[in-house]
Structure formats: structure tokens, C-alpha cells
Amino acid sequence: MELRFERLRRLRRSTAMRNLVRETHLHVHDLIYPIFVAEGQDIKKEVSSMPGVYNLSLDRLEPEINEILDLGIQAVILFGVPGHKDPVGTGAYDAEGIVQKATRKIKEMAPDLLVIADTCLCEYTDHGHCGVIHDREVVNDPSLELLVKTAVSQAEAGADIIAPSNMMDGFVAAIRKGLDDAGYTEVPIMSYAVKYASAFYGPFREAAGSAPQFGDRKTYQMDPANVREAIREAEADVKQGADMLMVKPAMAYMDVIRAVKEHFSLPLAAYNVSGEYAMIKAAAARGWVDEKGIVMEMLTGLKRAGADIIITYHAKDVARWLREER
């Protein structure tokens, strides 16, 4: 009796054959590289939990930008490490704040490099929360006023994209109106629409000095158990005028990325966060995993899940690996 079955291995017989039928492709233009810019002089301080990632002062920024350009990376996202903090995060919306100064410097050095400004207060408040505190609670609407001021000041400094990450209700509507009223109608908003209260953020909080000084962020960031709520959050931001959406973190949330992609047609970013980066770096340093192989598989998986854009601390390494493959 003749056996009948599909011979699926026919299309895996060689590298060229596999390349020909590959469904998902990772490209350097998919990548956004995060940069931590710090107040001070001659600072290049490696983040202990994130090997290869540094806090950089403005005078040490140029070599970093030149390397990014040489690798073909087209976008960076800026996070500030200010020299001063206060209860209302004044440094976030100061025209001479660290992100504003870094934005101007980068745009002078590399006018075509996209500069994305993370719009939040947590790095600038002495309590480490993403909004205004009243009776040890983060109050929503007064926080929106300061977030609008922050977004407008970042646009004035030359930011190409505003990326609000605060998870206050109504933040996209408030920032969109603020930008439009200030004349920045062409500046898009990449909304951290679906941001979970995650344990994966630990190394970032070391890098940015933004850990909450009391409590946690579970009253405004999402419960990791919820996916239907993610659709509600994304839908709200779409209605309020977001131009791009984001899911954060990425690796443990591929189902959420897929769900958001299936419901909305806006470009979708996935943030491959600090804890995800740190785990791979730690395992690779001990010889437990093939760093290149696991990073490329993970980022390809994010694209396969539906991400159009990937924010990742691996971006420079990935750009090099992609160049080597070509």
C-alpha cells in the first residue's frame, strides 16, 4: 500500500531554499535603540545589570550617535537621568532639561535620525511615580497637565515622535490637544497603550533611577493577567488620536501583541525591555545560551506575533549581525 503524506522538509533543504520561503523578516529599520542621557560631564557609566548599556552625558553622546548611524539604525528613544528631582518632576518639562538638550544636540549632529522622546515624570520626581502625588495616591488629571507641558517642551526641542509612557487615563487626548494647540500638529504620538505592571522593568529602574519610593505602579499600569483590558486600553488611545501603539513588555506578551495587531491597523511597537535583555546577557556571559541565536529568534518572534517596530537594547548587536548575514 502506497503511503501518502506531505513532504514538508523539501522546503528546508538548504539555506537558500529556507530564505526563499521565509515568512517573517527582521530588518535594521524595524529597530529603535534606547539611550539614557545623564546630566553632568564626562559620564559613560555602564548599567551594572545591563552590560553594554550606558548612562551618557551630552559630551559623550557623539560617538554613540555616530555608531548608531554607521549601523543603519534610524531611530532612538531618549530617557533622561536628571541631576535634580522634585515632587512634580520639573526637569521633565524644563526647556533646559536633559532630554530637551540631548534632542537638540542629536538633531544638530544627525538631522535625519528619528528622535523619540519618552514622555513621563518618573525619572524626574523624587517619589519615583509617573504623576502628581496627593495623599500618597497618583492623581490622574493634575498629572495630565504636567505631561502635556512635557510633550510640548520635547516637541519644541525637536523631538520627531512623542512617546507617552505614563498610563494615566486620557493621556493621549490631552497630549494631542496640547501639541496641536502649540502648533505641533505634525508630531505623531507613539502611545505606550498597553503597559503592564511588570517585574521585567528592574534593570531599567537602575539605569534611570526611577524606582518608586513608596508603593508600586499597579494602580495605573496593567495587570499582567489581562488581555481583554489591553484591547480596551489600545482602543481608547486610538480614539484619542494615537498614531502608533505599543505593547510593553514584549517577550512574555506575544499573545497581547497578536491580539492588538488583529484589532487595530495602526503601526505596532513592542518594547523588548531591560529585564528581558539582562536575562539573555547574564546567560550568555556564562555560556548557557548562544546570544546571537536566541536574540535573533526572540526578535523574529516579536515580528511574527505582529510587531512592526521593536524597541530593544540589543539593537546595535542585531544591526551588526544583520550586516554580517548580508
Side-chain angles (χ1 to χ4, degrees):
M1 179 177 172
E2 182 181 357
L3 290 176
R4 293 182 178 276
F5 54 88
E6 289 188 80
R7 294 192 179 273
L8 299 173
R9 292 177 58 190
R10 290 171 181 156
L11 300 184
R12 304 175 196 146
R13 292 183 62 227
S14 68
T15 299
M17 184 72 78
R18 291 190 296 272
N19 288 343
L20 186 68
V21 299
R22 181 162 293 152
E23 299 172 27
T24 304
H25 296 270
L26 187 64
H27 194 278
V28 67
H29 294 169
D30 303 329
L31 307 175
I32 297 172
Y33 185 63
I35 300 178
F36 296 96
V37 287
E39 291 281 9
Q41 295 289 320
D42 196 28
I43 296 171
K44 185 178 181 180
K45 178 184 177 184
E46 188 170 33
V47 180
S48 63
S49 56
M50 300 175 68
V53 175
Y54 297 86
N55 286 357
L56 297 169
S57 54
L58 295 180
D59 58 322
R60 300 294 295 272
L61 202 52
E62 187 169 355
E64 180 82 340
I65 298 303
N66 288 338
E67 181 184 18
I68 288 164
L69 292 172
D70 181 64
L71 290 169
I73 296 169
Q74 294 188 326
V76 297
I77 184 166
L78 301 184
F79 299 94
V81 185
H84 168 76
K85 301 189 179 197
D86 60 40
V88 291
T90 304
Y93 42 89
D94 186 345
E96 294 301 314
I98 184 60
V99 165
Q100 287 80 353
K101 289 189 290 187
T103 299
R104 290 193 290 267
K105 186 175 181 66
I106 292 170
K107 295 307 288 186
E108 288 172 4
M109 287 189 290
D112 293 331
L113 182 66
L114 287 176
V115 174
I116 304 166
D118 177 78
T119 305
C120 199
L121 302 178
C122 61
E123 296 109 304
Y124 307 92
T125 55
D126 55 11
H127 48 74
H129 280 284
C130 302
V132 176
I133 298 295
H134 181 69
D135 291 339
R136 295 178 69 86
E137 294 285 341
V138 179
V139 289
N140 196 91
D141 294 9
S143 299
L144 294 179
E145 297 176 16
L146 300 185
L147 292 164
V148 170
K149 290 174 66 174
T150 301
V152 171
S153 73
Q154 292 168 337
E156 287 174 348
D160 297 289
I161 298 170
I162 298 300
S165 60
N166 51 86
M167 287 299 284
M168 297 296 111
D169 291 338
F171 69 91
V172 172
I175 289 172
R176 183 71 272 162
K177 184 177 188 306
L179 290 172
D180 291 351
D181 289 349
Y184 297 105
T185 57
E186 298 303 312
V187 174
I189 294 174
M190 175 189 285
S191 170
Y192 285 68
V194 180
K195 182 177 180 181
Y196 287 91
S198 172
F200 283 99
Y201 301 151
F204 175 95
R205 291 172 183 173
E206 177 198 346
S210 61
Q213 299 305 297
F214 66 89
D216 53 40
R217 295 176 178 153
K218 293 180 180 179
T219 65
Y220 45 103
Q221 295 178 359
M222 287 178 54
D223 184 340
N226 294 353
V227 66
R228 293 195 302 271
E229 183 184 11
I231 302 305
R232 293 180 62 201
E233 286 280 3
E235 183 177 24
D237 288 2
V238 170
K239 289 178 178 178
Q240 291 171 33
D243 300 281
M244 293 173 267
L245 301 173
M246 188 193 303
V247 174
K248 179 183 179 183
M251 190 167 69
Y253 295 86
M254 288 193 190
D255 61 321
V256 180
I257 293 170
R258 169 53 57 189
V260 173
K261 186 68 171 181
E262 288 178 346
H263 279 81
F264 305 102
S265 60
L266 295 185
L268 179 60
Y271 198 141
N272 175 215
V273 299
S274 60
E276 298 166 351
Y277 175 87
M279 289 192 302
I280 291 173
K281 283 291 187 180
R286 288 160 177 77
W288 294 344
V289 298
D290 169 8
E291 181 176 354
K292 175 183 175 181
I294 204 167
V295 169
M296 296 298 280
E297 182 177 340
M298 177 178 63
L299 298 192
T300 300
L302 297 180
K303 284 211 68 181
R304 189 185 64 245
D308 304 295
I309 301 158
I310 301 173
I311 303 171
T312 179
Y313 304 96
H314 296 289
K316 292 194 294 183
D317 287 335
V318 171
R320 291 189 192 95
W321 295 332
L322 290 171
R323 179 176 288 179
E324 290 168 4
E325 288 180 3
R326 290 200 304 273

